[in-house]
């Protein structure tokens, strides 16, 4: 029976598929770490800057975790196919702060900060949902359970941080600007997630030698999710609610590590 559990288990059990999966995940986390690190250096708000730095430190940690999972199995990362690069596909659509902007040593404007937070609020929604799914599948797994639980908790913190900071800016009079960027980002993200998911499954199909019928069924499932998101599901990415986890990225960076 085709299910998320059986699909992820199949990927986990095959060295080449697991190596591709972790390589894609590690690259995305590394990119997120670099972006947040640059943003923290360019943010004028000295209360916000350390929270953004903490966000970046978490993303760097996640990249190390995925690489450590590969190392445990004696595997090395592989080059990530360009069509599976979620972060760069979003950037090419003008979503988020461009890398060329982040490389310039110019302080971010208030609207730049809104663009960053709106982008993060949408993409962290996706990350939080994906990690909760992986936690359901692998949360008790002896090899990777602790890793997925740790990353899932961090992603929930990141999402809470975005909600809280955007609500603070909305209260300061930026509500219309925030809503515009959230809606633009959400519509681009659901298209990008569909395209990246199709690309990842196509590569996995080659690695795992899936029959055409199985690949077609997975592609149909991905497109059906996109149809729901385009019709109504995107709204969950644009709402703002004060989170239960207040100041989720405040305080010192936790020293917990994953070896």
């Amino acid at each position: 029976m085709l299910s998320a559990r059986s699909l992820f288990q199949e990927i986990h059990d095959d060295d080449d598929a697991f190596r591709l999966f972790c390589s894609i995940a590690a690259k995305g986390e590394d990119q997120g770490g670099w972006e947040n690190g640059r943003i923290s250096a360019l943010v004028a708000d000295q209360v916000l800057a350390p929270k953004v730095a903490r966000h970046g430190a978490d993303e760097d940690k996640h990249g190390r975790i995925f690489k450590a999972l590969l190392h445990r199995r004696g595997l090395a990362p592989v080059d990530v196919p360009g069509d599976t690069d979620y972060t760069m596909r979003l950037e090419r659509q003008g979503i988020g702060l461009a890398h060329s902007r982040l490389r310039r040593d110019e302080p971010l404007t208030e609207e730049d900060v809104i663009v960053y937070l709106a982008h993060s609020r949408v993409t962290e929604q996706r990350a939080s949902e994906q990690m909760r799914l992986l936690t359901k599948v692998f949360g008790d797994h002896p090899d990777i359970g602790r890793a997925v639980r740790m990353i899932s908790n961090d992603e929930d913190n990141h999402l809470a941080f975005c909600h809280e900071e955007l609500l603070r800016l909305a209260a300061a009079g930026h509500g219309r600007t925030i809503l515009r960027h959230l809606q633009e980002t959400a519509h681009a993200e659901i298209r990008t997630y569909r395209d990246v998911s199709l690309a990842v499954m196509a590569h996995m199909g080659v690695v795992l030698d899936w029959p055409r019928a199985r690949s077609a069924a997975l592609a149909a499932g991905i497109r059906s999710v996109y149809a729901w998101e385009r019709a109504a599901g995107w709204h969950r990415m644009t709402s703002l609610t004060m989170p239960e986890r207040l100041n989720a990225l405040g305080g010192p960076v936790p020293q917990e590590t994953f070896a």
Side-chain angles (χ1 to χ4, degrees):
M1 179 178 177
L2 195 61
S3 67
R5 181 177 294 275
S6 63
L7 174 62
F8 284 123
Q9 191 65 57
E10 184 177 3
I11 291 170
H12 173 270
D13 292 346
D14 183 274
D15 280 350
D16 289 335
F18 187 70
R19 180 164 60 176
L20 178 59
F21 179 86
C22 288
S23 297
I24 292 170
K27 183 175 181 181
E29 299 289 359
D30 288 345
Q31 288 176 341
W34 180 84
E35 290 167 3
N36 280 277
R38 287 299 300 152
I39 290 166
S40 69
L42 300 175
V43 167
D45 185 335
Q46 294 306 301
V47 175
L48 180 61
K51 297 179 182 180
V52 179
R54 164 78 178 276
H55 189 176
D58 285 347
E59 303 289 8
D60 285 336
K61 178 182 69 177
H62 300 167
R64 293 193 300 273
I65 288 174
F66 283 112
K67 292 169 191 171
L69 292 174
L70 289 176
H71 182 72
R72 282 183 174 185
R73 284 174 59 164
L75 303 172
V78 295
D79 291 337
V80 173
D83 56 358
T84 68
D85 195 328
Y86 172 84
T87 302
M88 295 311 297
R89 290 184 74 144
L90 280 172
E91 180 177 339
R92 285 195 291 271
Q93 297 174 69
I95 300 301
L97 296 174
H99 285 189
S100 58
R101 171 67 181 90
L102 296 179
R103 290 189 182 98
R104 300 201 304 268
D105 290 323
E106 299 174 9
L108 298 181
T109 66
E110 197 159 44
E111 181 151 1
D112 287 336
V113 172
I114 291 172
V115 168
Y116 155 67
L117 288 169
H119 173 270
S120 294
R121 186 263 176 270
V122 171
T123 57
E124 293 296 343
Q125 178 80 38
R126 182 74 69 185
S128 176
E129 292 170 355
Q130 288 183 317
M131 290 312 303
R132 288 186 182 190
L133 175 59
L134 283 176
T135 299
K136 287 181 181 179
V137 175
F138 292 117
D140 295 326
H141 194 281
D143 293 329
I144 65 174
R146 180 166 171 259
V148 296
R149 293 194 307 271
M150 184 187 300
I151 296 173
S152 181
N153 182 69
D154 288 345
E155 301 297 6
D156 288 346
N157 282 338
H158 300 166
L159 186 57
F161 157 72
C162 295
H163 276 268
E164 187 175 4
E165 293 301 324
L166 285 169
L167 284 169
R168 178 180 62 80
L169 288 166
H174 299 287
R176 288 182 180 275
T177 302
I178 290 169
L179 181 59
R180 173 168 56 84
H181 284 297
L182 282 173
Q183 291 179 343
E184 177 183 316
T185 303
H187 287 297
E189 195 281 339
I190 64 171
R191 292 192 305 270
T192 302
Y193 180 70
R194 174 201 60 191
D195 294 343
V196 168
S197 296
L198 288 170
V200 170
M201 288 301 104
H203 288 288
M204 288 295 176
V206 172
V207 171
L208 294 167
D209 195 25
W210 285 339
R212 293 180 65 181
R214 184 172 194 196
S215 294
L218 285 167
I222 291 166
R223 291 190 175 97
S224 69
V225 169
Y226 170 70
W228 171 75
E229 291 194 324
R230 184 180 60 182
W234 64 271
H235 290 287
R236 79 190 190 285
M237 296 180 161
T238 61
S239 62
L240 292 175
T241 306
M242 189 58 70
E244 293 183 7
R245 301 185 184 191
L246 296 176
N247 197 32
L249 298 186
V253 177
Q255 295 304 304
E256 185 176 16
T257 60
F258 180 86

